[in-house]
């Protein structure tokens, strides 16, 4: 979650880069006698008394705006609901979610040239299955002003056969400032 | 008489020994050759004995490229000028090595060529002929690689841009000067790059390598072994009404890790080059408590750890820490709303010997680097 959100920092950057910009590409560490610190004989995590120490400054992550969370879940659900017999590729579902976005962002939803492929997609198409996603708020995500939603899915046929989809997709949404909220921007990851 | 009998026995034993050697040596050589043959460079990457990629879900962890397609895949890669793992991961993604695969959109065969593309590249052969498909794939990828070559500054980019051209069209790669900002195209490139490293590289080598040089083969330590990836490297959503002129808001320069770990750790031996001083530090509002460090050996990559808990940093500027040394506690300082650590890897050219600057060096996605060093990020 880093970055230069600070403009004052950016001003400093110019100065620092100017000063340090001549650092050799393969510059090694300074040659000097320095203390060497080793890992502990046993992992610190094995000490129960310390294992909760990170919680000392616990931050409540339940402060997201409920309307925004709901909008994010709705978008993630639409974006991972596919019908491989009709959808040319996975972006077709993103297209269907454009109604939840600002006009500017909706214009940027562009489908690639290739159709969707892959064993998962081909199998689902063969069985005329559609995806039924399960979406969850990623409470461990810590970027301010962003809501992260993780989607997984089942493939379901009309006669009730179902099987787990492969992988997951995590969406990171930002929103307009005023209600009714729109999705201002988003990216997603399949890792 | 007894001496003669004794020397006779010795001669017989010696002859038997020679015969035994003559019999055993070829067997040993044969078995040794067999071992060598079994060593598959395109087998899945193993971390702690377990395949970390797609292969972990399948009962085929030792051989990933079907034997009958191995030569054709290697030839295809040679033609394309791309790593074998990339072509293999593409075919896996396209058809799962099924030569009869047909998609509802009309893509056909092992490489899932669309009819129009096959007409141009199929040499009038059967689109369901897997060998013709692999051959065409190599020639088509070479063609695409040539179209985007001028945009790529290193081998890894060349591979990524070629994959993007395959998915989104070379025109779009040229238009955007790299991977187009299409979610599906980004995912395609990511998936193939990841699977080539995890499923088709027994030594876990990242396809295309890195432009900072070679990494040693030594294994690294996990920076937070029980953590989960909560924010990946790369593109991220604009938080403002417009990010025009603020490209730094659109890219996450590292990864965020959150979990139950009480500490975060040095992944390899590092020299601590800067330790922040808490709230008085100019970057505290953005970085929280942070550490800059540099590898003590080539390629001298620079590491950053941000958002550490207040008063938790356990090292000081100038320290040299060994692999696995706890550096501090994950926290929620800086511009964040929950406990985690921001982990970043920078080019060796990054300034590290004075107060570090914002974005003062090129950054790398840490995950392929960590995986190559046998650290898996989940």
């Amino acid at each position: 979650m880093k970055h230069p959100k600070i403009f004052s920092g950016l001003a400093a950057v110019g100065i620092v880069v100017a000063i340090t910009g001549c650092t050799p590409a393969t510059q090694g560490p300074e040659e000097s006698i320095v203390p060497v610190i080793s890992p502990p004989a046993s992992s610190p995590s094995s000490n129960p008394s310390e294992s909760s120490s990170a919680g000392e400054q616990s931050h409540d992550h339940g402060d997201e705006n409920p309307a925004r969370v709901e909008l994010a879940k709705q978008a993630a659900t639409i974006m991972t609901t596919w019908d491989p017999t009709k959808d040319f590729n996975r972006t077709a579902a993103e297209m269907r979610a454009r109604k939840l976005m600002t006009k500017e962002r909706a214009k940027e939803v562009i489908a690639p040239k290739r159709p969707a492929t892959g064993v998962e997609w081909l199998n689902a198409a063969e069985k005329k299955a559609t995806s039924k996603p399960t979406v969850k708020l990623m409470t461990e995500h810590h970027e301010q002003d962003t809501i992260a939603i993780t989607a997984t899915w089942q493939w379901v046929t009309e006669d009730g056969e179902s099987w787990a989809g492969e992988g997951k997709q995590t969406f990171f949404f930002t929103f307009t400032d005023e209600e009714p909220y729109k999705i201002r921007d988003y990216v997603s990851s399949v890792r | 008489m007894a001496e003669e009998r004794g020397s006779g026995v010795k001669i017989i034993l010696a002859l038997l020994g020679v015969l035994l050697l003559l019999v055993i040596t070829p067997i040993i050589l044969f078995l040794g050759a067999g071992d060598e043959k079994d060593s598959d460079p395109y087998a899945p990457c193993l971390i702690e004995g377990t395949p970390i990629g797609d292969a972990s879900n399948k009962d085929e962890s030792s051989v990933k490229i079907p034997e009958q397609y191995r030569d054709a895949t290697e030839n295809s890669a040679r033609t394309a000028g791309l790593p074998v793992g990339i072509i293999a991961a593409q075919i896996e993604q396209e058809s799962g090595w099924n030569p009869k695969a047909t998609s509802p959109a009309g893509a056909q065969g092992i490489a899932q060529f669309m009819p129009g593309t096959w007409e141009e590249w199929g040499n009038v052969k059967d689109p369901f002929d897997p060998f013709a498909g692999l051959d065409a794939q190599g020639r088509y990828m070479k063609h695409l690689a040539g179209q985007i070559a001028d945009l790529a500054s290193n081998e890894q980019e060349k591979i990524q841009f070629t994959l993007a051209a395959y998915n989104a069209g070379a025109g779009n790669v040229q238009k955007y000067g790299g991977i187009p900002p299409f979610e599906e195209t980004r995912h395609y490139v990511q998936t193939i790059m990841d699977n080539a490293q995890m499923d088709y590289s027994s030594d876990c080598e990242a396809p295309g390598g890195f432009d900072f040089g070679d990494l040693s083969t030594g294994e690294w330590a996990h920076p937070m072994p029980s953590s989960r990836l909560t924010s990946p490297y790369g593109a991220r959503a604009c938080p403002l009404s417009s990010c025009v002129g603020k490209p730094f808001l659109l890219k996450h320069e590292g990864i965020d890790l959150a979990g139950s770990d009480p500490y975060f750790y040095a992944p390899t031996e590092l020299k601590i080059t800067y330790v922040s001083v808490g709230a008085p530090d100019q970057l505290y509002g953005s970085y929280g408590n942070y550490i800059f460090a540099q590898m003590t050996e080539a390629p001298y990559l620079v590491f950053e750890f941000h958002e550490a808990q207040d008063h938790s940093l356990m090292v000081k500027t100038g320290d040299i820490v060994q692999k696995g040394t706890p550096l501090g506690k994950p926290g929620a300082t800086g511009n964040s709303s929950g406990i985690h650590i921001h982990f970043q890897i920078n080019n060796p050219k990054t300034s590290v010997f004075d107060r570090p600057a914002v974005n003062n060096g090129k950054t790398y996605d840490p995950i392929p680097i960590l995986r190559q060093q046998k650290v898996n990020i989940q």
Side-chain angles (χ1 to χ4, degrees):
Chain A
M1 147 91 284
K2 215 44 331 37
H3 314 279
K5 267 188 171 178
I6 28 180
F7 300 96
S8 58
L10 282 173
V13 177
I15 298 168
V16 174
V17 169
I19 294 170
T20 60
C22 59
T23 305
T26 56
Q27 183 169 7
E30 290 169 330
E31 301 244 345
S32 60
I33 299 172
V34 292
V36 176
I37 300 176
S38 305
S42 60
S43 167
S45 61
S46 64
N47 184 343
S49 66
E50 293 180 327
S51 63
S52 61
S53 57
E56 288 168 8
Q57 56 169 36
S58 174
H59 283 223
D60 180 8
H61 200 266
D63 55 357
E64 281 97 350
N65 182 311
R68 287 179 169 180
V69 171
E70 194 50 44
L71 177 59
K73 285 183 174 179
Q74 189 184 353
T77 300
I78 293 172
M79 290 177 180
T80 50
T81 300
W82 300 291
D83 181 348
T85 62
K86 295 177 183 169
D87 293 337
F88 182 72
N89 51 31
R90 293 175 189 248
T91 307
E94 280 183 58
M95 297 280 191
R96 290 191 283 272
R98 284 182 296 184
K99 60 189 176 187
L100 305 178
M101 305 173 197
T102 61
K103 286 179 184 173
E104 295 76 18
R105 184 62 183 91
K107 283 180 193 168
E108 293 173 7
V109 180
I110 301 172
K113 183 179 159 187
R114 296 260 315 152
T117 51
V119 176
E120 177 184 24
W121 191 267
L122 300 183
N123 284 345
E126 191 178 340
K127 297 189 174 185
K128 296 184 170 54
T130 55
S131 62
K132 301 291 179 197
T134 299
V135 298
K136 290 180 182 172
L137 176 68
M138 187 198 258
T139 54
E140 306 94 326
H141 183 67
H142 307 300
E143 287 184 28
Q144 289 177 347
D145 308 318
T146 305
I147 287 177
I149 302 288
T150 300
T152 54
W153 50 88
Q154 289 278 118
W155 291 101
V156 182
T157 64
E158 278 189 3
D159 58 8
E161 184 187 357
S162 71
W163 63 95
E166 293 175 10
K168 65 177 181 185
Q169 190 164 345
T170 305
F171 295 87
F172 302 90
F173 295 103
T174 59
F175 306 88
T176 52
D177 299 327
E178 307 293 335
E179 289 194 83
Y181 298 119
K182 289 279 187 181
I183 291 167
R184 173 176 277 160
D185 197 9
Y186 71 94
V187 295
S188 66
S189 169
V190 289
R191 272 181 170 161
Chain B
M1 190 70 177
E3 281 178 12
E4 280 178 13
R5 205 175 285 154
S7 63
V9 169
K10 283 178 186 172
I11 290 168
I12 290 169
L13 285 174
L15 283 172
L16 282 174
V18 170
L19 278 172
L20 201 60
L21 275 175
L22 287 172
V23 172
I24 287 175
T25 305
I27 292 174
I28 291 171
L29 289 174
F30 175 78
L31 290 175
D35 286 347
E36 204 165 282
K37 190 182 176 185
D38 288 341
S39 173
D40 180 1
Y42 312 126
C45 156
L46 302 179
I47 293 182
E48 293 179 348
T50 305
I52 63 167
D54 192 40
S56 59
N57 298 322
K58 299 173 185 173
D59 187 23
E60 50 182 57
S61 58
S62 60
V63 176
K64 285 293 290 179
I65 300 178
E67 190 61 39
Q68 68 270 33
Y69 302 135
R70 172 162 301 233
D71 289 348
T73 305
E74 289 176 347
N75 289 338
S76 179
R78 200 174 300 120
T79 300
L82 298 171
V84 173
I86 289 293
I87 295 293
Q90 265 194 301
I91 299 300
E92 171 97 40
Q93 171 66 22
E94 294 293 330
S95 69
W97 299 97
N98 176 8
K100 302 299 179 194
T102 303
S103 84
Q108 298 173 318
I110 198 166
Q112 290 286 279
F113 275 93
M114 290 295 279
T117 319
W118 184 255
E119 203 173 306
E120 188 177 353
W121 295 94
N123 285 348
V124 206
K125 292 186 177 174
D126 178 1
F128 295 104
D129 174 349
F131 300 100
L134 285 163
D135 175 59
Q137 182 77 356
R139 288 182 285 106
Y140 184 46
M141 292 299 284
K142 179 186 180 184
H143 167 72
L144 294 173
Q147 289 194 297
I148 55 81
D150 291 346
L151 298 171
S153 61
N154 57 51
E155 192 61 21
Q156 192 181 73
E157 278 190 353
K158 176 192 150 188
I159 297 169
Q160 291 172 328
F161 294 176
T162 304
L163 292 170
Y166 181 81
N167 185 258
N172 276 319
V173 176
Q174 287 158 347
K175 176 182 174 184
Y176 291 98
I179 301 170
F182 311 161
E183 290 301 296
E184 189 165 348
T185 302
R186 280 182 183 148
H187 296 166
Y188 183 80
V189 173
Q190 186 82 80
T191 298
I192 302 300
M193 295 295 286
D194 281 355
N195 290 352
Q197 180 176 19
M198 296 187 293
D199 285 349
Y200 293 99
S201 173
S202 59
D203 59 2
C204 311
E205 197 173 339
F210 303 105
D211 63 6
F212 51 73
D214 294 332
L215 286 160
S216 68
T217 54
E219 294 184 9
W220 286 5
H222 199 302
M224 279 179 68
S226 302
S227 66
R228 179 180 172 197
L229 178 70
T230 59
S231 185
Y233 176 88
R236 66 174 174 187
C238 173
L240 308 176
S241 57
S242 172
C243 283
V244 174
K246 304 180 186 75
F248 49 87
L249 289 177
L250 297 174
K251 184 180 178 190
H252 193 204
E253 302 285 356
I255 57 175
D256 289 351
L257 300 171
S260 59
D261 304 87
Y263 299 96
F264 56 94
Y265 305 90
T268 185
E269 185 175 280
L270 299 174
K271 176 167 185 177
I272 306 299
T273 57
Y274 189 85
V275 177
S276 72
V277 291
D281 188 277
Q282 188 181 351
L283 300 182
Y284 181 83
S286 181
Y287 283 17
N289 300 297
Y290 62 96
I291 293 171
F292 270 57
Q294 186 168 35
M295 291 176 71
T296 57
E297 59 181 26
Y300 300 111
L301 290 171
V302 173
F303 293 72
E304 296 182 36
F305 307 83
H306 303 172
E307 269 98 18
Q309 189 179 138
D310 283 334
H311 313 298
S312 77
L313 298 181
M314 302 161 74
V315 291
K316 60 184 185 300
T317 301
D319 286 351
I320 287 179
V321 297
Q322 293 181 3
K323 176 179 90 172
T325 300
L327 304 177
K329 296 179 179 179
T333 53
N335 183 21
S336 74
S337 58
I339 294 167
H340 72 289
I341 207 72
H342 169 93
F343 176 73
Q344 183 171 318
I345 300 181
N346 304 331
N347 186 278
K349 292 179 182 175
T350 307
S351 166
V352 294
F353 293 113
D354 198 348
R355 169 189 289 282
V358 177
N359 278 3
N360 68 352
K362 177 181 176 182
T363 58
Y364 299 94
D365 183 349
I367 290 181
I369 297 173
L370 290 167
R371 283 177 174 158
Q372 188 164 310
Q373 302 308 111
K374 306 295 192 293
V375 173
N376 192 22
I377 301 292
Q378 306 275 7

